Every structure is written in structure tokens, then in C-alpha cells.
Amino acid sequence: MSKIFKIFLCIGSFFFIFQACSKKPAGTKEKDASTFSTKEIQITPNVKMVSIKGGKYLPFYGDSSLVEVQDFLLDERPVTNAEFLDFVKKNPKWKRSNIKTLFADDTYLKNWQDDETLPKNADPEAPVTFVSWFAAKAFAKSAGKRLPTLDEWEYVAMADEESANARNKSEYSAHLINLYNEKLREKKKVQLSKPNYYGVYNMFDLVWEWTDDFNSIMTTADSRTGDFDDKGLFCASAATSAADVLNYASFMRYAFRSSLKANYTVENLGFRCAKDLQKNSK
Amino acid sequence: MKHLVTSFALALLTLQACKQNASDGSAGKTENAMEIKVSGETENQKAVNPPTVPAPIGDRAAKKVIVHLEATEEEGELADGVTYKFWTFNSTVPGSFIRIRVGDEVELHLKNASNSVMPHNIDLHAVNGPGGGAEATNVAPGKEAIFNFKALNPGLFVYHCAAAPVPLHIANGMYGLILVEPAGGLAKVDREYYIMQGEFYTKGKTDEKGLQEFDQDKGVDERPTYVVFNGKKNALMGANALQAKVGETVRIFVGNAGPNLVSSFHVIGEIFDKVYAEGGSKFNENVQTTVIPAGGAAMVEFKVEEPGEYVIVDHSIFRAFNKGAIGKLKVTGEKNPKVYHKVQ
Ligand SMILES: [Cu+2]
């Protein structure tokens, strides 16, 4: 029975992909074919990258084993509207009217006035949102960077303004919950709030952020089922410290990630880029 | 011969099964709800605001029902001069009352408002399946999830959001009730109302003015700042009191969202003629106070004989008088001295 169901699911998803493909408006086919073969044109966003000293950390969800994060570079702030505009101008296949449904759903850059005009009253220095994981990845690639991994992002997210790991401070989560509960925070300029311990801005106060492997922890949306055990998700509460069980802010981030698909675009979801640290630089 | 015996035995078995069903007396679980076929036109269930409920299903056949819920996050009033950032289903606390019958096939659409910050989902206690639908409906802001279920068990059930961290989603107001009526429907009454108890945990003290933030410590310690009916202190008071006329039968669908406390539901000056305890199929009679667990519900029914104001409370009485667990039923009509009368 369950096999049949699985098969059905498979067929269903094929059908979905098929449909998604055929949904594309007519007339864009030739253009797509020509633009699609081209590589991303390089962009050079003017953003400082902060060197993050790696180390071992205990993931919020996991089997209680420490995960090693290598030294890496992280953008000090999220990618802005202005930077993303520059990217789509140089890489037309990522413009709203050219984007393939497979790579972004129908709310991609939804608030923009047209392909090359930012949303009305939008601050060019506010973080870009309504971008899919594919688009974020393409942007990073054209900037010679990549998306941070979930571990890298969460490693940096342990920091507050004073310390690299604030997970045991009770105010830490409470403060974040209040930030998260704020609407329209994505409209604000980047870098207005204080940087964290590493000198990284806006980890929490503007947008949720894509990570390269956002769906590596397949939280079922339901945080109470036994399913978590397999994936090391719920038993994580036993694995992590007591403080983490109360870390509602982290639960929120993981729940948010688990609600995403790679082609989703959401009003309060943006991204920033990361890069490997070249040890013997040229 | 062997065949004959087998078929005879089978027939006997079937007969017994039927008998068991019939002799049950109350509206028990329909043995073969799975086999109930849906027919007729698909219903698009219209959302009505609590304490109102959709019309009774009566004796209609099982059919397909489409239910739309939208998860929203919006600031609203928790008490006079006190505001709070509620998370809701369909912009009300509790969310829209869903009313179906056993055998119905529900297509549930859960939309998450595009200006939501959080993902949301729905776990309906009326659903047989993993997470009660939560797994199938975890939905990002601006997106919609759809899932189907067949109602197999009649009863009154809680639904709530189960996105992590679950306690917060419930504490912020994401819950409601779904009624699955037995075949043939519930007995007719004159009035039906929808009340759901829930706790709120705020940084400020009870009635401290202004926008109040969620207080996680109080939540964990199970020390609510507010215990209210229908998402707001005084939601069922004054002009919003429930109404009935002398001689009428009132049915209240009562839910308790918790997230922590058990409710001791009571109507001052009334005795429940019937209580479908825990929202199940059996009723108890002549009950003063009924216990409603967190994540549970009950149907209470009573006839009102005497005009006046009847106070609805959680009889853990500090909650009623200090934290908001209080409402009113206003009964109008002829006085009935035989039943009640003050001598001096
Ligand atoms: Cu929710």
C-alpha cells in the first residue's frame, strides 16, 4: 500500500514538474534557449566580507555530535535591492519576465515595478526579497561567491553583540522572538542596527535568509512527531542543552526553512553570500 | 455445505455488528465511515465569526466540503487598552468554526498571508493521519497548502497550528474547533454558540496598557497573564453577551486551546442538561461543571427557564475574576416564579 502511495507521489511530482514547465508563457521559448546557455555575467557587489574563525559547534538540531565549521568569509550584510538590480541587468535570464517557473515561483520579484525598476518607495539599500534559492545561488555565483551553509549561518547566528556564543543567555532568544515578530522589517536599510560579535550585520532584524542546504534538515512541519527521531530533529532537544529547548527563535528559523521549496519567493526572505577562505592567497 | 456454513456465520456476524451499532444508543463512531460515499454538490464552507457557528448539517448525505483558512499575524485588542500580536486562523481567535458530518471529504486550503513573518500549518484533531494535517500543510508566507481528509469519527475537535515552536503558535491564538456531526445530525436546539478558552502570556501584568510582548518564562511556568474566552477579555460581555429566550435550548460548543491549563467550565445559575464530555459521542446528564482538557472540547446543552444574566466562567475562579475567563448569557422573557423567585 505504501509502495503504491510512493509511486503515486512520484508520478504526482513528475506531473507537477511537467505542469510547471508547460505553464511558461508562450513566446519566451526562443529567448530562454539563447539566454540559458550563457554563463552568469560577473558582478562585483561592494560589500565587505567578514572573516569568520571556524570551530566546533553544537547544531540546534542534530544527533548531539559537534559539527566543525571551517574558517570562511561571510558578507557583512544581506544582498540589497540595488545589487540584485545590477545582477538582473547583467544577467537578463534572471529578470522577472524571463525567469523559468522551475527556478522561481510566480511571486519572484513580485513587488518590482517592472524588470528593471525596484518596488515603489523601496530603498535600494534595503535587502532584496521575493528571490528564490536558485536566483540567490546564481547571484552568488556571478559574484564569485556561494551561499553560506546552514551550519555556517547558524554558527554565526550564535553570536550576540558581545560574544560568539550567546545561546545560554535567556535574553538572546527572547530578543530575537520580538525582532522576528516585527512586520515589514525587510523594508529597512541594511546596516542600521549594531553588528554582532564578528562585525556581521542584520542576521536577525531584517529578513530570513536562504542557506545553501536550507532543506538538509527536513523538519516535518510538525515539530512533535516521531519523524523527527530519524532525522535527529526532535531528539535534538535532548541532544542540545536545556537552554536550546527554550530557544524559540531557533525553532522559528528551522520551521521557516522547512516550509520552503527552492523555487519559493517570499516577502521577507533574502540572502547573503559566503566564500571559502583562501588560505594561501595568490 | 461448507460454503453454506461460512455464509451463515458471516451473516450472523454482520447481523451482530449491526445490532451492536444500533444498541449503542448514542451517536457512536460509524463502523464503516470509510465506506460512506460522498454525493451531491460540493460545499464551499462560508466562514462565520465566533461565537456564531455554521448552520447544522441536518440529515444531508455525506459530501465534499471545501474549507478555506488563512493564517494571519495581526495586532489586536486583548483587553481594554491592551494590544497583542495575535496569530490567527481567518483573523479571529478562535478561528472559524468548521462544521461537517461523518463521511464528508474535506479539501482544506490553508493559506498563509503574504505579510506573515512565520510559517504556519494546521493540526486538526478530527483527522486520522500523521500530524492531523500539520505535515501536509506547513506553509510559507504568501503560499497555500491543500490537503484532503475524510471525516471518520464524529465529535467536537480542536484544531491548531503545530509549527515550531508549537507552544508559541497556540499561545498566540492559532486554534479553533471542528465539529463532525454523526449521520443524521445532532438533535435540534434553539441556539448554538462557539466559545473557546485560551491563555495569553504577556510581559506586562494583567491589564497593563499598551502593546504587550509574549513572555516565554510565564508560558513555560504555566502562569498566564490572561485566561479568556474567544481571544479577548470581555469578548462575551456587554453588547457581545450571548442571547437566549426563556424556554429555549442552548447548545454551546466549548473548546479549550490551553496551551497549558485545564478548564472547569461552568455557567453560573444553570445546570447542563447534557454534556458530551470531551467532545465525544456519549453524554452525561445534569452536570454543574465540566472539565475540558487543553486540546479538548465539550458540547453542553441546557434549557433556560428563567430570564436574567448567566455568567459563564472557568470555575478555577481567580481566572474568571482576575484574568478574564468570564462571559455572559443574557436570557430574556417571562419570569418563571415556580422555578426561581426571590421572596424578600
Ligand atoms: Cu502558526
Side-chain angles (χ1 to χ4, degrees):
Chain A
M1 180 58 205
S2 77
K3 228 176 218 166
I4 293 171
F5 185 64
K6 269 183 195 154
I7 291 167
F8 178 74
L9 260 178
C10 284
I11 294 170
S13 55
F14 273 122
F15 183 70
F16 179 74
I17 292 169
F18 182 71
Q19 264 220 323
C21 291
S22 62
K23 233 166 133 181
K24 188 179 54 191
T28 58
K29 212 167 190 177
E30 299 88 321
K31 210 167 149 198
D32 276 357
S34 63
T35 50
F36 205 71
S37 54
T38 58
K39 283 247 158 60
E40 261 78 29
I41 306 289
Q42 213 195 329
I43 53 165
T44 49
N46 182 23
V47 54
K48 190 179 150 198
M49 294 197 88
V50 177
S51 173
I52 307 291
K53 179 97 188 89
K56 288 195 168 148
Y57 98 112
L58 186 65
F60 183 67
Y61 283 129
D63 58 4
S64 82
S65 54
L66 293 175
V67 166
E68 176 136 30
V69 173
Q70 302 292 327
D71 297 354
F72 71 106
L73 293 168
L74 185 66
D75 281 358
E76 65 173 341
R77 55 159 175 80
V79 172
T80 63
N81 282 322
E83 286 166 345
F84 204 81
L85 177 60
D86 180 52
F87 166 71
V88 298
K89 277 183 179 164
K90 289 175 179 153
N91 296 278
K93 76 176 182 201
W94 293 101
K95 283 183 184 171
R96 188 171 70 188
S97 61
N98 295 339
I99 193 86
K100 286 172 174 276
T101 324
L102 268 179
F103 296 140
D105 64 10
D106 57 4
T107 52
Y108 179 66
L109 302 179
K110 173 183 141 180
N111 49 352
W112 288 30
Q113 298 177 65
D114 60 42
D115 270 0
E116 296 190 7
T117 315
L118 294 183
K120 243 189 191 143
N121 308 320
D123 193 317
E125 299 308 311
V128 67
T129 63
F130 284 122
V131 287
S132 66
W133 177 81
F134 292 108
K137 247 177 120 67
F139 177 100
K141 205 173 139 207
S142 82
K145 303 178 187 177
R146 59 174 173 81
L147 292 180
T149 64
L150 194 144
D151 281 325
E152 286 170 342
W153 201 100
E154 286 292 325
Y155 180 78
V156 175
M158 294 193 298
D160 63 1
E161 285 163 27
E162 290 86 35
S163 57
N165 184 356
R167 266 156 79 163
N168 291 320
K169 297 185 187 171
S170 62
E171 329 82 70
Y172 165 75
S173 172
H175 173 63
L176 296 188
I177 291 172
N178 285 326
L179 282 181
Y180 286 163
N181 217 344
E182 189 93 22
K183 283 195 182 196
L184 300 177
R185 56 201 159 100
E186 67 272 9
K187 308 270 189 219
K188 292 186 210 153
K189 254 191 220 306
V190 295
Q191 281 182 295
L192 288 184
S193 52
K194 282 202 178 139
N196 72 4
Y197 170 82
Y198 295 102
V200 174
Y201 293 81
N202 310 123
M203 289 295 282
F204 310 111
D205 63 336
L206 294 183
V207 286
W208 304 108
E209 296 182 15
W210 285 110
T211 59
D212 192 47
D213 49 348
F214 69 95
N215 54 2
S216 64
I217 293 176
M218 289 304 288
T219 70
T220 60
D222 187 336
S223 49
R224 312 147 301 167
T225 63
D227 283 17
F228 282 106
D229 293 343
D230 311 28
K231 279 119 186 170
L233 195 62
F234 200 57
C235 65
S237 51
T240 53
S241 71
D244 282 336
V245 182
L246 298 177
N247 196 334
Y248 281 19
S250 297
F251 277 114
M252 287 174 179
R253 283 201 298 280
Y254 281 85
F256 189 87
R257 290 179 188 126
S258 75
S259 75
L260 298 175
K261 290 184 182 130
N263 71 334
Y264 272 21
T265 64
V266 178
E267 188 163 7
N268 56 5
L269 174 60
F271 69 103
R272 73 177 73 212
C273 303
K275 205 176 178 177
D276 292 343
L277 195 63
Q278 246 36 67
K279 271 183 187 131
N280 358 305
S281 55
K282 351 157 208 168
Chain B
M1 184 59 203
K2 211 172 157 193
H3 277 291
L4 207 72
V5 173
T6 327
S7 46
F8 183 70
L10 212 74
L12 201 79
L13 209 78
T14 318
L15 203 77
Q16 266 221 318
C18 290
K19 217 166 122 193
Q20 251 173 18
N21 256 355
S23 65
D24 207 2
S26 61
K29 178 176 178 179
T30 312
E31 287 297 324
N32 45 6
M34 281 261 269
E35 309 307 323
I36 299 176
K37 294 264 190 310
V38 294
S39 61
E41 225 170 282
T42 298
E43 176 190 333
N44 233 310
Q45 189 148 106
K46 238 186 100 204
V48 289
N49 289 344
T52 312
V53 295
I57 63 123
D59 58 1
R60 73 160 170 84
K63 62 179 172 182
K64 189 169 173 184
V65 180
I66 297 173
V67 173
H68 287 270
L69 291 175
E70 184 178 30
T72 72
E73 301 164 3
E74 47 194 304
E75 210 173 296
E77 204 172 49
L78 177 56
D80 280 347
V82 183
T83 51
Y84 187 79
K85 285 179 179 168
F86 292 93
W87 297 352
T88 80
F89 287 105
N90 281 352
S91 296
T92 58
V93 181
S96 309
F97 191 93
I98 303 169
R99 189 163 198 166
I100 55 172
R101 59 151 283 173
V102 72
D104 275 357
E105 291 175 13
V106 178
E107 179 182 304
L108 193 138
H109 296 239
L110 178 63
K111 194 183 171 347
N112 190 353
S114 61
N115 69 353
S116 285
V117 179
M118 303 296 162
H120 298 290
N121 62 29
I122 189 167
D123 167 356
L124 300 116
H125 292 179
V127 167
N128 292 275
E135 218 177 53
T137 58
N138 198 38
V139 56
K143 309 299 171 199
E144 186 182 78
I146 304 169
F147 93 108
N148 291 312
F149 68 91
K150 190 170 180 73
L152 301 182
N153 303 67
L156 181 62
F157 301 93
V158 167
Y159 69 79
H160 63 87
C161 179
V166 190
L168 184 57
H169 286 258
I170 296 176
N172 280 351
M174 295 199 80
Y175 44 77
L177 291 180
I178 172 170
L179 172 68
V180 183
E181 296 198 36
L186 295 174
K188 262 203 172 131
V189 291
D190 301 300
R191 307 257 177 181
E192 290 185 326
Y193 290 113
Y194 170 25
I195 298 180
M196 201 148 174
Q197 181 170 326
E199 301 130 35
F200 288 88
Y201 299 83
T202 64
K203 281 262 151 64
K205 288 195 177 116
T206 311
D207 292 326
E208 197 170 308
K209 305 284 182 234
L211 177 64
Q212 290 297 320
E213 287 173 2
F214 169 71
D215 189 314
Q216 190 177 328
D217 292 335
K218 285 185 187 169
V220 173
D221 291 347
E222 310 191 9
R223 275 188 297 119
T225 330
Y226 295 89
V227 182
V228 296
F229 295 134
N230 290 5
K232 186 186 165 184
K233 205 174 173 183
N234 301 329
L236 302 174
M237 299 289 278
N240 300 318
L242 308 182
Q243 309 281 338
K245 293 203 172 78
V246 168
E248 286 183 331
T249 311
V250 180
R251 174 184 290 139
I252 309 180
F253 301 102
V254 197
N256 181 15
N260 287 316
L261 305 181
V262 167
S263 174
S264 303
F265 190 76
H266 178 82
V267 176
I268 299 174
E270 260 303 333
I271 296 151
F272 303 137
D273 300 326
K274 284 186 190 172
V275 173
Y276 290 82
E278 293 163 0
S281 305
K282 300 264 161 66
F283 60 80
N284 193 358
E285 291 170 292
N286 307 316
V287 175
Q288 56 189 309
T289 301
T290 190
V291 163
I292 307 175
M299 281 188 287
V300 302
E301 294 173 13
F302 52 92
K303 191 175 171 185
V304 285
E305 288 89 0
E306 174 72 12
E309 289 190 337
Y310 294 82
V311 178
I312 304 163
V313 296
D314 177 341
H315 214 296
S316 293
I317 212 73
F318 273 99
R319 296 175 195 167
F321 284 87
N322 296 82
K323 296 183 172 181
I326 187 163
K328 259 182 193 172
L329 168 70
K330 214 171 177 174
V331 178
T332 52
E334 289 284 302
K335 283 199 144 297
N336 203 343
K338 210 198 270 176
V339 176
Y340 182 92
H341 112 137
K342 188 175 168 182
V343 179
Q344 256 189 334

